[in-house]
Amino acid sequence: MADTGITIQDTTLRDGEQTAGVAFTREEKLAIACALVALGVPELEIGIPAMGGEEQEVIRALLALRLPARLVVWGRLHGDDIAAAARCGATCVHLSIPASDLQIERKLGRDRAFVLAAIDRQVRAARDRGFDVSVGAEDASRADADFLLRFADQAQASGARRLRYADTLGVLDPFTTHAAIARLRRSVDLELEMHAHNDLGLATANTLAAVLAGARHVSTAVNGLGERAGNAALEEVVMALRHLHGIDTGVDTRRLPDLSRLVAAASGRPVAANKSVVGEGVFTHESGIHVDGLLKHAPNYQSFDPAEVGRGHRLVLGKHSGAHAVRAAYQRELGITLTKNQAERLLARVRAHAQLAKRPPEAEELRRFHAELHHTELRHAAAPGIAEVQP
């Protein structure tokens, strides 16, 4: 695996499965894990041992695959959860506890002193069992900034390897994210991980901001699955890091569409046609201005080559098409070379069809349009005084 300095920690099998109504089978979890590792994802969060025997059996099966990746189990910062992780044979555990006063008081019914003491006690206990430990600051984005530093200092002093900064309710923007992660980066030597939720549609943007501020681990989920509006999408984060910041995460992006389809089928959550990177329609073009520019020189309307994700441009004819697109479609799909005048006349036919049928014309319909036009041209040539009737 490439050492790029940024580690993707994919949580599709844990937080992704926490999407309301989603439940992966054992076989689906194994298939998704293998697909993620085949892409080059170096770290997977694979489940929650405290859920019980069935979940533990699946975790054991995943660990038995001996995949070339770091497999992490998730738990609360609690002795029972640590013991459940140990029964699975896991070696890496993520332990989570609230960091915001709101959740400490209203969820745990405790105070800050309790949280700091629990971090010290349970991280040391996990370390004594041989675990590599990551500590999760749940609701970190609503935590008091000074207390969060104490939280991180305690995790580091107790032997944790990493601190996960969780924007649990997706309330950050990239500016506040950058400031929060930069402050932690200046204060502690722990590895920092960003776990962003998408409630306001900013999970990917906030993840990028965290990387720029010094986070070296990012939490993602395929297709953006996760609680409520989901997590930062694996495909978005990987492609945005590459094209906006020149950071290659080592992920084989050509396999992203296949992975997306696998997870969509297993989760029962279809991917929207306009979903960035992996949506079926994101490389489909109709607008006449765009198609004309694309045909002249692809980068005119191409932010990245779709071949990077194993795709290609698709041109469709519709209400917004231009004559250039009509000529290209007839040549590409039917091997028919149109004159400029023929393309203009067929364009009107295509637009009328698109408005009536609410879809692009299919190849046989294009062939029929052309045959009708050819018949009209022959009639007009034989009797130029006869008024032309449009089909």
Side-chain angles (χ1 to χ4, degrees):
M1 290 177 289
D3 182 7
T4 63
I6 301 298
T7 297
I8 299 291
Q9 202 261 35
D10 189 81
T11 188
T12 302
L13 298 178
R14 197 276 299 176
D15 205 339
E17 194 185 27
Q18 287 179 209
T19 304
V22 171
F24 298 133
T25 66
R26 173 193 177 110
E27 291 71 25
E28 287 167 343
K29 279 201 167 188
L30 294 176
I32 291 168
C34 290
L36 283 163
V37 174
L39 257 73
V41 176
E43 187 170 310
L44 312 181
E45 194 167 52
I46 60 173
I48 308 172
M51 284 181 61
E54 184 176 345
E55 180 84 347
Q56 290 174 23
E57 283 301 313
V58 175
I59 290 171
R60 290 190 191 100
L62 286 163
L63 293 169
L65 292 175
R66 298 190 179 279
L67 297 170
R70 187 171 186 262
L71 304 185
V72 183
V73 296
W74 187 98
R76 298 160 298 178
L77 193 77
H78 190 284
D80 291 345
D81 288 33
I82 296 170
R87 289 195 295 273
C88 292
T91 58
C92 303
V93 64
H94 176 80
L95 302 173
S96 179
I97 191 168
S100 69
D101 289 328
L102 188 155
Q103 286 202 0
I104 292 170
E105 295 169 6
R106 299 302 178 92
K107 178 180 172 179
L108 297 182
R110 301 287 189 167
D111 58 18
R112 293 178 177 183
F114 170 85
V115 170
L116 296 178
I119 293 172
D120 189 44
R121 181 173 65 257
Q122 301 301 349
V123 170
R124 291 184 188 280
R127 293 284 293 149
D128 288 344
R129 285 179 176 265
F131 281 111
D132 191 355
V133 181
S134 168
V135 173
E138 183 181 4
D139 206 24
S141 48
R142 296 193 296 177
D144 175 78
D146 290 334
F147 177 67
L148 190 59
L149 291 182
R150 292 174 61 196
F151 185 110
D153 284 338
Q154 185 62 70
Q156 180 173 313
S158 302
R161 168 178 176 173
R162 185 185 306 175
L163 177 77
R164 173 181 291 175
Y165 184 103
D167 183 16
T168 303
L169 294 179
V171 297
L172 295 179
D173 64 28
F175 308 100
T176 50
T177 300
H178 189 282
I181 298 299
R183 190 168 192 254
L184 282 168
R185 180 72 291 150
R186 290 192 299 268
S187 302
V188 296
D189 294 327
L190 284 167
E191 297 175 2
L192 296 180
E193 176 187 330
M194 183 65 194
H195 181 87
H197 277 267
N198 204 39
D199 296 71
L200 295 175
L202 293 169
T204 295
N206 291 340
T207 299
L208 300 184
V211 168
L212 295 182
R216 288 296 172 262
H217 302 263
V218 293
S219 185
T220 67
V222 178
N223 297 339
L225 285 179
E227 292 274 5
R228 302 178 315 281
N231 294 278
L234 168 69
E235 58 277 5
E236 295 175 8
V237 170
V238 167
M239 293 300 287
L241 284 173
R242 174 186 291 180
H243 286 281
L244 300 182
H245 303 296
I247 298 172
D248 189 341
T249 58
V251 170
D252 182 356
T253 56
R254 295 169 299 178
R255 300 189 182 199
L256 284 171
D258 287 341
L259 175 65
S260 173
R261 285 189 286 269
L262 173 65
V263 172
S267 64
R269 295 294 184 273
V271 174
N274 64 343
K275 167 70 178 67
S276 55
V277 183
V278 293
E280 197 60 36
V282 296
F283 302 111
T284 300
H285 310 268
E286 177 187 317
S287 167
I289 293 173
H290 283 220
V291 171
D292 180 70
L294 194 70
L295 290 171
K296 288 175 178 174
H297 183 57
N300 282 331
Y301 287 101
Q302 173 181 284
S303 61
F304 63 86
D305 187 345
E308 289 185 40
V309 290
R311 302 278 298 279
H313 289 293
R314 176 172 173 257
L315 308 182
V316 300
L317 298 178
K319 177 181 177 180
H320 304 96
S321 295
H324 195 169
V326 171
R327 295 181 77 177
Y330 270 89
Q331 185 65 55
R332 181 183 65 251
E333 295 185 30
L334 303 175
I336 296 174
T337 302
L338 300 177
T339 66
K340 182 177 180 181
N341 180 261
Q342 288 173 325
E344 291 287 353
R345 294 166 72 182
L346 285 168
L347 175 60
R349 187 72 175 87
V350 165
R351 287 176 171 173
H353 169 89
Q355 291 185 74
L356 182 64
K358 306 300 182 185
R359 61 171 175 79
E362 298 175 354
E364 283 307 307
E365 290 167 325
L366 291 177
R367 194 183 301 279
R368 176 165 58 83
F369 298 164
H370 181 262
E372 291 168 350
L373 175 63
H374 183 61
H375 179 67
T376 301
E377 288 176 332
L378 289 177
R379 289 177 56 201
H380 184 69
I386 298 177
E388 199 173 285
V389 179
Q390 289 294 332

